[in-house]
Amino acid sequence: MLLCFAVFECAVSPTGDKLYITSKFDKLLTLARNGTLLATLTDPDLYLPHGIHVTPAGQVLLCGGVPQAILQVGGKGRRKLATLATHKDGVRSPLVVCYSGSTSSIIVGQNGDNILVLRVK
Ligand SMILES: *[C@@H]1O[C@H](CO)[C@@H](O)[C@H](O)[C@H]1NC(C)=O
């Protein structure tokens, strides 16, 4: 079997058993440590995805390219759980995302040298 895809960004689950990969043009791939493909998620909100981040609790955060949004995906990589922020919250070409537990915020690095901080409860 030939797995052919372009890797944008990747992240590892806290337990190290899963690898999440955003790929051109509209996919989130979840692989087991041995390389087995566990799940493929395609969603209209996942077109041109960029940065991906896994919180210490195993929540998967993703920068959607078009439409520009910050998304949360289930830990199994099978479905989108929530849209956390969109254009109206100030999301503009998000490239990287990470979660800060100490400040309960999601920090988004965006194209155009700006950083968006979203408070979460
Ligand atoms: C790879 O890992 C998955 C998940 O842990 C497991 O279900 C599968 O049997 C493994 N495959 C091989 C070839 O070891």
Side-chain angles (χ1 to χ4, degrees):
M1 182 177 66
L2 176 67
L3 265 184
C4 185
F5 50 80
V7 174
F8 262 11
E9 299 230 358
C10 66
V12 181
S13 66
T15 49
D17 61 340
K18 284 195 225 55
L19 180 65
Y20 304 98
I21 298 173
T22 57
S23 92
K24 278 183 185 168
F25 284 95
D26 57 355
K27 281 190 183 59
L28 172 70
L29 305 172
T30 304
L31 305 185
R33 208 205 298 237
N34 63 20
T36 306
L37 184 63
L38 298 175
T40 305
L41 174 67
T42 14
D43 189 286
D45 286 351
L46 267 185
Y47 191 63
L48 297 177
H50 280 278
I52 183 161
H53 173 75
V54 187
T55 71
Q59 295 156 313
V60 182
L61 306 178
L62 197 61
C63 295
V66 183
Q68 297 165 4
I70 305 302
L71 309 169
Q72 182 179 351
V73 174
K76 292 199 164 100
R78 294 216 175 96
R79 63 192 186 94
K80 187 180 83 179
L81 296 183
T83 299
L84 302 177
T86 62
H87 199 265
K88 75 171 164 46
D89 304 300
V91 178
R92 306 277 186 278
S93 302
L95 297 177
V96 291
V97 61
C98 79
Y99 172 73
S100 160
S102 58
T103 58
S104 295
S105 51
I106 292 170
I107 301 162
V108 185
Q110 311 199 101
N111 197 1
D113 294 339
N114 69 80
I115 290 175
L116 179 69
V117 179
L118 305 159
R119 302 262 166 231
V120 290
K121 277 161 231 135

